[in-house]
């Protein structure tokens, strides 16, 4: 997820492909919206002998709800981050397209925190410690079963009936879950809006960085890119890769970017410096309204097409130098090196509690992959050949003792289990943004009249789920209108309970 107007002056953690400001999370935590409520959840839905339970957090907005009415129920699905709090049902990046439609529909809204990603509060965690095989209860399948049990709890607690039709919402990984909740439990949820949902698990997700490059040629909806900009970035990185091979080239790089010239001799340093981009190149998190230097595609491209700054390498240095006024060297080094999808802020850095396990990394290895490579011959406009599949997958055996062969089996099974890009299901909407790299893994075309897609020109990662703002792109405004129309349509027709 991308936080609009976010200052990057404090530590940045990049993960599910998301760049988020830690201080923004702390500034909003528990500041607005209702307090969490809790219900008793199963530790393991698939082991009939496991009687362990835990307290799962959820949030409610019943401002416009009238008990006994036949108004709908909007369910915001929690995910890997940013962590949800009371703001999720009143004003947040998660599901505000649902929040802003509550009054018109008289709807009741729930938001359910994803198991483990609430473990910054250990009293709302499926396990009491992280020793041994503590992560074995973390999966999308368990999370969907959590939602099914919550549905039963909510129906009983709020005296809901079959007339109260449920619509699930989510963006990024929660978007995947929102769609799959409808797909796997069609008798419980009537429809779903699965925003920016990369439902096709993949080992080598070459498409991510290919789309990043394509985004820099998009000019409409105030994106401000151009073909010349995209080419300049690609040529600049290719030149830098060649400069690593000569003393003169390394000396020039040292004068432009820092470090000693010999530092650029080492392959590990070359990969860290240029394999993921020598500066921050927002695409998933592109915000046309940001105000800092070189903070979006338009501002980066203004620099990269300015011939007065010198050749493409000098222009790349200018981008990095401008960003360094608000980003540290460490932040710049990791700005494009995304933890696969993580969509998001890693739980291990929250609330000053010390390190928690890498929850999203575990799901990457056990379910989804999403290894964002920059292979030679791809469209990736960074220095090609450093972000290889081998280098990306190394985390799985190193961190979780899961061999690469098993990782590949896990990812393949996820696509078998959920269907990947198949057009199965009904009363489902898949909106995707043009400059969002995750659209490479989502459903963009449908041959099924009951499964709809929505293309949002110039938009970044589920930008339309954020609170409405005067600076919103016209396409984002139109997307919200289209989503409301979809909701109205779905609520006024029968939706099949057989998928």
């Amino acid at each position: 997820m991308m936080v609009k107007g976010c200052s990057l002056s404090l530590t940045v953690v990049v993960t599910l492909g998301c760049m988020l400001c830690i201080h923004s999370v702390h500034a909003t935590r528990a500041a607005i919206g209702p307090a969490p409520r809790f219900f008793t959840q199963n530790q393991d839905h698939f082991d009939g002998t496991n009687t362990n339970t835990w307290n799962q957090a959820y949030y409610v907005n019943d401002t416009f709800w009238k008990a006994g009415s036949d108004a709908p129920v909007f369910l915001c699905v929690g995910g890997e981050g940013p962590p949800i709090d009371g703001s999720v049902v009143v004003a947040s990046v998660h599901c505000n397209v649902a929040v802003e439609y509550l009054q018109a529909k008289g709807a009741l809204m729930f938001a359910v925190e994803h198991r483990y990603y609430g473990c910054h509060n250990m009293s709302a965690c499926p396990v009491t410690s992280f020793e041994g095989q503590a992560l074995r209860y973390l999966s999308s399948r368990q999370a969907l079963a959590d939602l099914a049990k919550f549905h039963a709890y909510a129906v009983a607690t709020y005296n809901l009936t079959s007339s109260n039709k449920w619509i699930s919402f989510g963006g990024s990984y929660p978007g995947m879950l929102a769609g799959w909740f409808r797909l796997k439990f069609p008798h419980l949820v009537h429809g779903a809006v699965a925003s920016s949902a990369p439902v096709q698990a993949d080992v080598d997700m070459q498409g991510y960085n290919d789309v990043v490059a394509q985004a820099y040629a998009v000019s409409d909806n105030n994106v401000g890119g151009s073909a010349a900009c995209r080419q300049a970035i690609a040529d600049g990185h290719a030149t830098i890769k060649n400069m690593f091979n000569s003393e003169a080239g390394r000396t020039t790089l040292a004068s432009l970017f820092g470090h000693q010239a010999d530092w650029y001799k080492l392959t590990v340093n070359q990969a860290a410096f240029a394999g993921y981009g020598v500066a921050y190149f927002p695409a998933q998190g592109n915000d046309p309204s940001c105000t800092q230097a070189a903070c979006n595609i338009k501002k980066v491209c203004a620099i990269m097409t300015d011939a007065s700054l010198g050749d493409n390498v000098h222009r790349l240095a200018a981008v990095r130098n401008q960003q360094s006024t608000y980003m540290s060297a460490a932040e710049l080094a990791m700005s494009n090196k995304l933890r696969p999808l993580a969509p998001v802020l890693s739980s291990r850095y929250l609330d000053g509690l010390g390190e928690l396990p890498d929850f999203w990394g575990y799901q990457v290895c056990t379910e989804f992959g999403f290894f964002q490579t920059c292979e030679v011959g791809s469209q990736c406009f960074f220095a090609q050949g450093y972000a290889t599949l081998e280098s990306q997958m190394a985390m799985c055996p190193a961190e979780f003792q899961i061999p690469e062969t098993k990782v590949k089996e896990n990812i393949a099974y996820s696509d078998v289990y959920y269907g990947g890009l198949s057009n199965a299901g009904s009363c489902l909407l898949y909106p995707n943004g043009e400059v969002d790299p995750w659209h490479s893994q989502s459903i963009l075309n449908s041959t099924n009249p009951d499964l709809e897609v929505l293309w949002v020109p110039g938009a970044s990662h589920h930008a339309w789920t954020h609170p409405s703002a005067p600076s919103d792109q016209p396409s984002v405004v139109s997307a919200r209108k289209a989503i409301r129309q979809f909701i109205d349509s779905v609520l006024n027709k029968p939706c099949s309970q057989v998928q």
Side-chain angles (χ1 to χ4, degrees):
M1 298 177 183
M2 174 266 294
V3 177
K4 298 186 73 172
C6 182
S7 170
L8 298 173
S9 59
L10 297 184
T11 303
V12 173
V13 179
V14 181
T15 59
L16 185 238
C18 176
M19 192 171 200
L20 188 68
C21 304
I22 289 179
H23 74 279
S24 292
V25 174
H26 287 303
T28 59
R29 178 175 290 280
I32 61 173
R37 305 182 190 187
F38 300 91
F39 73 104
T40 302
Q41 186 58 273
N42 294 342
Q43 184 183 58
D44 188 346
H45 296 280
F46 308 114
D47 179 358
T49 67
N50 187 332
T51 59
N52 294 331
T53 60
W54 58 288
N55 293 321
Q56 187 166 25
Y58 71 100
Y59 298 86
V60 183
N61 185 338
D62 58 1
T63 304
F64 307 106
W65 166 258
K66 292 183 179 180
S69 74
D70 62 355
V73 177
F74 292 169
L75 174 67
C76 181
V77 180
E80 83 298 356
I84 65 173
D85 55 27
S87 67
V88 69
V89 292
V90 292
S92 79
V93 300
H94 298 278
C95 299
N96 231 62
V97 68
V99 171
E100 294 174 8
Y101 209 33
L102 288 176
Q103 184 172 9
K105 307 307 292 184
L108 174 64
M109 183 170 184
F110 298 115
V112 179
E113 189 168 62
H114 193 295
R115 57 171 52 213
Y116 284 87
Y117 293 106
C119 285
H120 49 274
N121 173 11
M122 288 300 293
S123 66
C125 189
V127 294
T128 56
S129 76
F130 297 109
E131 299 297 323
Q133 298 297 312
L135 301 189
R136 65 186 179 276
Y137 308 113
L138 173 58
S139 72
S140 60
R141 299 169 187 86
Q142 294 279 8
L144 290 174
D146 287 344
L147 296 178
K149 185 166 184 181
F150 174 79
H151 183 283
Y153 166 83
V155 166
T157 303
Y158 293 86
N159 297 314
L160 304 176
T161 72
S162 59
S163 297
N164 304 119
K165 298 176 180 178
W166 288 57
I167 306 291
S168 55
F169 297 82
S172 200
Y173 171 50
M176 297 159 66
L177 295 174
W180 291 337
F181 190 35
R182 166 64 188 160
L183 193 66
K184 294 297 186 181
F185 296 92
H187 56 294
L188 301 182
V189 61
H190 190 75
V193 180
S195 294
S196 298
V199 294
Q200 176 74 29
D202 203 349
V203 178
D204 188 345
M205 193 174 67
Q206 181 176 300
Y208 185 95
N209 281 320
D210 284 356
V211 176
V212 171
Q214 294 164 12
Y216 278 73
V218 174
S219 60
D220 64 309
N221 278 278
N222 201 31
V223 176
S226 67
C229 174
R230 176 180 62 185
Q231 193 62 49
I233 296 170
D235 290 348
H237 280 98
T239 300
I240 286 172
K241 185 177 180 181
N242 289 332
M243 293 171 73
F244 291 147
N245 299 321
S246 70
E247 183 176 349
R250 293 190 294 271
T251 299
T252 299
L253 291 175
S255 68
L256 290 175
F257 296 97
H259 301 294
Q260 297 296 317
D262 284 349
W263 185 86
Y264 294 97
K265 283 185 177 181
L266 298 178
T267 302
V268 64
N269 293 338
Q270 295 170 5
F273 172 64
Y276 301 92
V278 301
Y280 172 44
F281 294 94
Q284 172 179 329
N286 185 58
D287 178 4
S289 68
C290 70
T291 58
Q292 293 169 312
C295 62
N296 59 26
I297 292 174
K298 185 175 186 177
K299 293 186 176 186
V300 169
C301 283
I303 297 169
M304 291 305 303
T305 54
D306 185 350
S308 69
L309 297 174
D311 63 20
N312 292 324
V313 174
H314 282 78
R315 297 178 204 177
L316 287 172
V319 173
R320 183 183 177 95
N321 288 339
Q322 290 193 26
Q323 292 173 343
S324 69
T325 62
Y326 57 93
M327 297 175 71
S328 70
E331 291 166 355
L332 284 166
M334 71 188 304
S335 59
N336 303 305
K337 189 175 182 180
L338 306 178
R339 172 68 87 195
L341 185 68
V344 185
L345 186 63
S346 175
S347 297
R348 63 171 61 190
Y349 296 97
L350 292 175
D351 289 348
L353 297 178
E355 286 203 359
L356 293 172
D358 184 358
F359 300 132
W360 181 253
Y362 180 79
Q363 288 192 265
V364 162
C365 298
T366 58
E367 297 192 80
F368 303 126
F370 295 140
F371 296 107
Q372 298 154 2
T373 59
C374 185
E375 305 283 6
V376 173
S378 68
Q379 296 180 46
C380 174
F381 63 10
F382 304 139
Q384 296 182 353
Y386 292 107
T388 62
L389 182 59
E390 180 182 15
S391 67
Q392 299 275 316
M393 291 187 70
M395 61 165 284
C396 296
E399 196 167 341
F400 303 108
Q401 295 74 55
I402 304 174
E404 293 181 5
T405 53
K406 182 60 176 174
V407 173
K408 292 178 180 179
E409 290 177 9
N410 294 339
I411 296 165
Y413 182 70
S414 290
D415 286 330
V416 170
Y417 185 79
Y418 291 119
L421 297 179
S422 69
N423 290 161
S426 64
C427 296
L428 280 160
L429 175 65
Y430 286 93
N432 280 280
E434 183 180 13
V435 304
D436 176 20
W438 290 103
H439 81 234
S440 67
Q441 306 305 121
S442 192
I443 296 175
L444 306 182
N445 300 286
S446 174
T447 57
N448 176 358
D450 293 322
L451 186 150
E452 300 181 36
V453 298
L454 175 63
W455 185 247
V456 189
S460 56
H461 201 48
H462 61 89
W464 49 91
T465 72
H466 296 202
S468 295
S471 58
D472 286 335
Q473 296 161 284
S475 62
V476 169
V477 175
S478 296
R480 293 193 185 106
K481 180 179 179 180
I483 290 170
R484 290 192 293 270
Q485 291 172 342
F486 167 80
I487 294 169
D488 289 344
S489 173
V490 164
L491 290 174
N492 287 311
K493 72 179 182 181
C495 287
S496 172
Q497 294 187 9
V498 179
Q499 301 300 304

